[in-house]
Amino acid sequence: MPPPNPETHSLLLLRGLPGSGKTTLAGVLSENNRYPVYSIDSYFINEQGDYHFEHTKNHLAYKNCESQTEAALKDGMTKVIVDNTFTHDWEMEPYFRLAETYGYRLFVLTVENRHNGKNVHGVSEQQLEKMRQKFRVKL
């Protein structure tokens, strides 16, 4: 298989606070699951579709998301989407390296909560405020 062409192969990182609509946008961009969507949240969804976050396993969820993304890039998927909060730049750095390693064009899309969406993961207002304060956008 020839290496991916950055003119036609893209890695999209969707970032934003819980409730901003990242997962909804990821679904739209995936074109009815034509393209894969990976997230840390999916690690915590059981077979019945229920979300059960376990802070002690967060590092495993990060690694799982990164591994799934790398496998899709290795397979030459035309478009790969990663949906995470990415409140810190260091959280995106592994994906920057993957895009460079596999020859993918990289896009970082910041999703704003302009529709007054509510997070479905039970993140408290206090925790959301902490996330807002550390969230930085590089223009």
Side-chain angles (χ1 to χ4, degrees):
M1 175 184 294
N5 177 349
E7 295 298 316
T8 58
H9 289 67
S10 300
L11 174 58
L12 304 147
L13 304 183
L14 306 183
R15 65 189 300 246
L17 296 179
S20 63
K22 297 178 303 297
T23 302
T24 301
L25 178 59
V28 170
L29 294 173
S30 75
E31 299 178 32
N32 293 317
N33 298 316
R34 179 176 175 196
Y35 301 105
V37 176
Y38 303 110
S39 74
I40 291 167
D41 284 340
S42 63
Y43 185 85
F44 299 104
I45 297 173
N46 66 21
E47 292 176 7
Q48 293 76 33
D50 299 320
Y51 180 80
H52 297 284
F53 179 74
E54 293 180 52
H55 182 61
T56 59
K57 294 184 178 180
N58 211 25
H59 67 288
L60 298 173
Y62 272 91
K63 201 62 183 161
N64 183 63
C65 185
E66 188 180 328
S67 297
Q68 289 177 317
T69 301
E70 183 169 17
L73 299 181
K74 276 184 185 177
D75 285 347
M77 292 297 302
T78 307
K79 183 172 26 174
V80 179
I81 303 156
V82 180
D83 153 24
N84 289 326
T85 55
F86 292 124
T87 54
H88 295 286
D89 283 352
W90 65 263
E91 294 169 316
M92 293 184 283
E93 287 174 6
Y95 300 95
F96 296 164
R97 287 191 296 274
L98 287 173
E100 185 175 336
T101 298
Y102 293 100
Y104 276 69
R105 181 173 42 184
L106 176 74
F107 293 96
V108 177
L109 292 85
T110 301
V111 182
E112 297 179 4
N113 187 352
R114 295 196 178 239
H115 59 284
N116 244 358
K118 301 294 178 203
N119 83 81
V120 296
H121 301 301
V123 179
S124 70
E125 273 305 314
Q126 182 180 14
Q127 185 61 26
L128 277 172
E129 185 54 36
K130 287 180 184 178
M131 294 173 84
R132 278 185 202 98
Q133 290 176 11
K134 61 185 174 182
F135 198 94
R136 300 287 179 257
V137 177
K138 183 176 181 178
L139 299 174

